[in-house]
Amino acid sequence: MLNKFGLSIYISTFDEQKEMLDRFTGSGYYVFTSFHMQEEYNSIDDYCIRAKELCYWLKERNFKIIGDVSTKTLDFFEYKSIIEFAKDFSLDILRLDYGFSDDEILSISKEFPISFNPSTEDDILAKKILDRGMEVFALHNFYPRPETGLDPEGFKNINQKLKDIGIKTLGFIAGDEMRRGPIFEGLPTLEKHRNIPPYVAFLDLLKNYNVDEVFVGDVKISQVQSSLIIDYLDDNIINVPVKFHPNYQYLYNQVFTIRADSPNSLMRIQESREYSCDGEKILPFNTIIREKGSITMDNIGYARYSGEIQILRKPLPKDDRVNVMGRVLDDYIDIMDCTKNKEKIRFITL
């Protein structure tokens, strides 16, 4: 069972990651880790011992482990069978990288759930495994070098094809607190996610690209960003970081629903009819150009619609009948593209 959110752990940075991991003890989250990184094997004393200790530590805290393995793993750890290795290291899913034949993969899948890279590998074998009643997942790569991450359209097409045949997809977002070397420029699957808040990238993958589980590829994600993600998973309400004019701060921390009939240009707040009471006069105030992310309230110029609230998905011109109360924080503007009609949101301050 996937949990929609996961982390990546590396033997070389494990000690630095323990404090972050403690925040998620008992969560049952999946953790991605690799057992065939040549640079770690060459630079870490007692690499094999430390790798097993890492797995035991994670298991004691109720994490599940996706192990990235290749035939090089067998050489590093001196095992003849990848199944034997997986059992000894208490792995839950094997992400099979290079070196395994189709027959070997079919054989392994009989004993362990497996994952493949859908960006570079044919899904025909994965479908064959699925049809035989075994578990198979599609875990995309992350891309350390800037400009090499996947393009949105191709990524979306791959995921839709996999969804159509019943295969769950997994992807990566960059971390914000501590990035992994040697380049230190993030480990996202999509290039456009390299330098945006992890929370926004998480929502984007989940809602716009049919991704079933999102992993932080880097060493650490901050408590602020992980809390935003976990809050969403807990209550299915999208927290939207905003800044309101002092006159409208009473709107913070309230839950609102996006109307089902909202157009592409803006989101209409269903509950805002409560603010458009007969006899209440919303006077014109700050009737400026409305940018994407602006939060507005209709004033008395709109008669009985006075008090209705909108959030702009696209820029619109100045209108003397519309007050601009505040706006979504710049780093979180893309949340507008992740929020669908009928969903619930909460305006928050960071």
Side-chain angles (χ1 to χ4, degrees):
M1 176 69 70
L2 297 178
N3 295 307
K4 294 187 179 179
F5 180 60
L7 303 160
S8 298
I9 307 301
Y10 305 96
I11 298 167
S12 58
T13 56
F14 181 47
D15 289 340
E16 297 167 282
Q17 294 182 278
K18 285 181 179 178
E19 182 181 356
M20 176 193 70
L21 287 164
D22 280 337
R23 302 203 302 260
F24 305 103
T25 293
S27 63
Y29 287 160
Y30 277 95
V31 167
F32 170 85
T33 192
S34 178
F35 297 102
H36 65 116
M37 290 184 171
Q38 186 76 46
E39 67 272 20
E40 291 201 338
Y41 179 73
N42 290 338
S43 62
I44 298 174
D45 293 335
D46 299 324
Y47 172 85
C48 297
I49 294 173
R50 290 179 63 182
K52 183 169 282 191
E53 289 174 348
L54 177 151
C55 292
Y56 288 171
W57 190 95
L58 291 171
K59 282 300 185 178
E60 286 174 355
R61 287 155 180 82
N62 197 36
F63 290 101
K64 298 174 183 177
I65 305 171
I66 297 181
D68 193 34
V69 297
S70 68
T71 49
K72 188 179 287 187
T73 303
L74 299 176
D75 295 335
F76 285 169
F77 292 88
E78 298 181 351
Y79 277 78
K80 293 182 179 179
S81 161
I82 203 66
I83 293 296
E84 181 186 356
F85 170 82
K87 290 179 178 178
D88 278 359
F89 281 70
S90 301
L91 306 185
D92 295 281
I93 297 175
L94 284 170
R95 185 179 191 260
L96 301 178
D97 211 317
Y98 55 84
F100 299 102
S101 68
D102 286 2
D103 286 342
E104 287 174 319
I105 292 170
L106 285 170
S107 178
I108 293 167
S109 71
K110 293 175 183 177
E111 299 194 53
F112 260 89
I114 68 163
S115 173
F116 69 105
N117 179 3
S119 302
T120 60
E121 297 176 31
D122 199 324
D123 59 10
I124 294 175
L125 181 61
K127 182 64 165 61
K128 187 181 293 187
I129 293 169
L130 192 69
D131 289 344
R132 293 184 180 185
M134 279 80 81
E135 287 189 287
V136 58
F137 303 91
L139 175 55
H140 288 271
N141 269 353
F142 53 63
Y143 296 89
R145 186 197 183 283
E147 303 165 352
T148 63
L150 298 183
D151 294 324
E153 195 58 37
F155 180 68
K156 190 171 188 176
N157 290 339
I158 290 170
N159 291 343
Q160 186 59 55
K161 182 179 179 182
L162 291 167
K163 188 179 185 70
D164 289 344
I165 60 176
I167 295 176
K168 295 185 183 298
T169 58
L170 304 84
F172 290 93
I173 57 174
D176 64 321
E177 185 171 301
M178 182 177 180
R179 291 187 159 184
R180 189 170 187 272
I183 301 176
F184 301 102
E185 294 203 40
L187 298 178
T189 294
L190 283 181
E191 184 59 36
K192 72 171 186 169
H193 289 162
R194 191 170 299 278
N195 292 304
I196 68 173
Y199 171 58
V200 181
F202 169 84
L203 289 176
D204 195 29
L205 286 186
L206 218 61
K207 294 179 168 296
N208 294 326
Y209 295 97
N210 286 319
V211 173
D212 295 285
E213 178 129 353
V214 179
F215 289 84
V216 179
D218 281 297
V219 176
K220 287 185 180 181
I221 181 173
S222 67
Q223 185 146 8
V224 169
Q225 294 296 310
S226 61
S227 293
L228 286 168
I229 291 170
I230 302 309
D231 284 350
Y232 171 74
L233 294 178
D234 284 345
D235 60 20
N236 211 35
I237 298 169
I238 299 174
N239 283 322
V240 184
V242 304
K243 184 174 183 179
F244 281 120
H245 186 278
N247 292 353
Y248 298 99
Q249 293 195 13
Y250 62 90
L251 294 172
Y252 282 125
N253 299 315
Q254 296 195 45
V255 176
F256 297 105
T257 309
I258 309 303
R259 281 182 51 153
D261 58 352
S262 292
N264 291 333
S265 58
L266 56 80
M267 293 182 280
R268 301 179 67 189
I269 299 300
Q270 183 170 300
E271 294 81 1
S272 62
R273 283 299 174 103
E274 298 171 11
Y275 299 97
S276 55
C277 303
D278 289 341
E280 182 181 1
K281 292 184 178 180
I282 306 297
L283 299 177
F285 168 81
N286 203 35
T287 56
I288 59 176
I289 293 173
R290 295 167 289 167
E291 301 173 340
K292 180 178 179 178
S294 291
I295 306 165
T296 68
M297 180 181 284
D298 294 344
N299 62 44
I300 56 173
Y302 261 121
R304 70 184 183 89
Y305 294 99
S306 177
E308 289 209 2
I309 299 171
Q310 298 91 29
I311 314 167
L312 270 65
R313 288 172 168 149
K314 297 179 181 180
L316 290 173
K318 166 184 167 67
D319 187 332
D320 289 337
R321 299 168 296 178
V322 180
N323 298 351
V324 177
M325 304 185 294
R327 61 176 283 107
V328 179
L329 298 185
D330 287 345
D331 287 344
Y332 296 87
I333 286 290
D334 288 342
I335 287 179
M336 300 299 94
D337 301 322
C338 305
T339 307
K340 313 302 180 185
N341 292 354
K342 298 195 290 187
E343 290 193 302
K344 294 188 180 295
I345 64 167
R346 181 191 293 113
F347 295 127
I348 65 167
T349 181
L350 292 182

